[in-house]
Amino acid sequence: MSKSTATRARPVSPHLQIYRFTPTMLMSILHRITGGALYFGMVLFAVWLMAAAGSKEQFDFVNGLFGSFLGRLVLFGYTWALLHHMLGGIRHLIWDTGHGLGKQTSSRIATANLIGSVVLTLLVWIVGYAFRGGF
C-alpha cells in the first residue's frame, strides 16, 4: 500500500466573506450578546438587592454607584439589552408559529426588533425620569 502524496484543496466552510450580512444575522448575534449581558446585569441587580437588605450605608454606596454617570450608562445599556432580548424572544415565538419566515419579512421583523428596542428603551427612561422629577 502506497500513500498518495497528492493533496487536494479541502473545501472550506462558508463564512462572512461568502455570505451577505443580513439583518437576521445581526439580530442573532445581538440576541446572544444581550443574553450574556443580562447575566451580568442580574449580578448587579443582586448586589443592589443585597445592599438594600444590608445597612443604610451599603445601600447609599451602591445607589451612589448606580446613580453616577457611568452607573446610569450601564443601567441604560442593561435596559436596552433586556428590551432587545425580550423583543428577540417575541420574534422567535412568531417564527415558531410558522409566520414571518420569508426572506423579506424576517428582515423587516429583525429591523423592527432593533428599532423597537431602542425606542422602548428611550421611552422607559423618559417615563422614569418624568416620574422621578427630572434629570
Side-chain angles (χ1 to χ4, degrees):
M1 292 197 182
S2 66
K3 288 187 177 181
S4 173
T5 58
T7 58
R8 281 192 302 169
R10 301 187 84 199
V12 295
S13 297
H15 45 78
L16 289 178
Q17 292 175 337
I18 294 172
Y19 285 126
R20 195 178 108 255
F21 202 71
T22 63
T24 52
M25 290 169 71
L26 176 64
M27 291 304 105
S28 176
I29 293 166
L30 285 178
H31 191 74
R32 293 166 196 269
I33 290 171
T34 56
L38 291 176
Y39 175 80
F40 291 106
M42 288 309 294
V43 171
L44 294 176
F45 182 62
V47 166
W48 183 77
L49 285 176
M50 288 187 295
S55 68
K56 181 180 178 349
E57 292 79 22
Q58 288 174 331
F59 185 70
D60 288 341
F61 176 74
V62 172
N63 259 356
L65 288 177
F66 288 163
S68 69
F69 176 76
L70 183 60
R72 288 182 189 192
L73 190 62
V74 168
L75 291 175
F76 185 83
Y78 180 74
T79 306
W80 175 77
L82 182 65
L83 292 169
H84 181 79
H85 201 78
M86 178 195 69
L87 290 177
I90 293 171
R91 179 172 50 98
H92 282 274
L93 184 63
I94 291 169
W95 285 349
D96 287 345
T97 66
H99 294 86
L101 295 173
K103 190 182 283 188
Q104 291 175 343
T105 306
S106 64
S107 291
R108 279 194 298 253
I109 292 173
T111 304
N113 183 16
L114 184 59
I115 293 169
S117 65
V118 170
V119 168
L120 285 174
T121 300
L122 291 173
L123 283 174
V124 165
W125 277 74
I126 288 169
V127 168
Y129 273 114
F131 278 110
R132 185 175 178 254
F135 293 92

